[in-house]
Structure formats: C-alpha cells, structure tokens
Amino acid sequence: MNTKINLSVILMLIFCTLGFAQEKTVSGKITEDSGIPLPGVNILVKGTSSGAQSDFDGNYSLQVEAGQTLIFSYLGFKTEEKLVGNETTVNMTMYQDATSLDEIVVTALGISRSKKSLGYATQKIESEDISKAKGVNFVNSLSGKLAGVTVSRNNNFGGSTNVII
C-alpha cells in the first residue's frame, strides 16, 4: 500500500510540473514597413537573458512561455514589444526611427561608443572633404586630412598606396 501511495504522489508531481512549464517555440518573420526582411534584429525575452537574432531572410525562432513579452530592437528602427499568447507565429513589422540614430565611434576591438562618452578627441572626415581634392583614388584623397593617418604612394608602374594609422 505504501508503494502505491508513493507512486501516485510521484505521478502527481510529474503532471503538476508539466503544467507549470509551458514553454513553446515561437517563430516568425521580421520586416520593415515596406515589406523588406530585416536580418540581424535582436529579439529578447523581457526580464530574461534568453533571446535570438533574425537570419538573412528575417526569420527567427525562440523558446518562450505564454504571457512573456518579446522585445524587438534594431539600429535605426523603433524598439517594439509584443506579448506572446497562445500563438506560435509572431510576425513583426518595424518602423524607421531617424531620431534614435546618434553619432557612434568604433574604437579598438570593434567596441562602439558614443562620441560624447569618449575621454579623448576624435576626428571625422566628410565626403565633401574627399571630393574637393580629386585624387587618383579614394585612399590618396585621405592624405593630410586626418591626424595620425599616413598615406604613402608608390609611383612605380602598378604601384600601390599604403595607409598607416
């Protein structure tokens, strides 16, 4: 009799835990307002560290529980949130947000920072500065425009240009 009670308690616990963990796979496609798929969109489950990123065709797949919120973010677009109900397909249309773009400086090792947060001076070159002094090629036009950039030209036949930063 004792083993029958233990067996029924174990079965009851198994079914109760299955009822609490209702994770499912949610997938969908992310496009911009004109219908073009967006690759590389970050999808994050709100309040957790789990997430995914859309592929080249804007498709994604993610494990979530019903009632959780998905946060879609992409540079130059408004951040969108979507509550997951019982559906397994969540498509998202993202809209451009030109006001969210700010000046970003890429530093060593590809780390990007806001220009205001840097403790040192940075330089910027505009396209007009390069097109004013027409050179043989684009790289030669950089000569003398930026501090710390040395452009060396080789005038031999088939010569190349070296850029040292």
Side-chain angles (χ1 to χ4, degrees), residues 93-135:
T93 302
M94 299 190 73
Y95 300 95
Q96 291 186 4
D97 184 18
T99 59
S100 70
L101 291 177
D102 197 5
E103 199 167 298
I104 294 177
V105 177
V106 177
T107 61
L109 301 175
I111 301 169
S112 54
R113 300 271 188 249
S114 159
K115 186 174 181 180
K116 296 175 187 175
S117 70
L118 295 175
Y120 49 86
T122 60
Q123 286 188 315
K124 177 171 82 172
I125 189 165
E126 299 286 336
S127 60
E128 295 86 25
D129 297 333
I130 296 171
S131 62
K132 281 180 189 174
K134 304 268 184 198

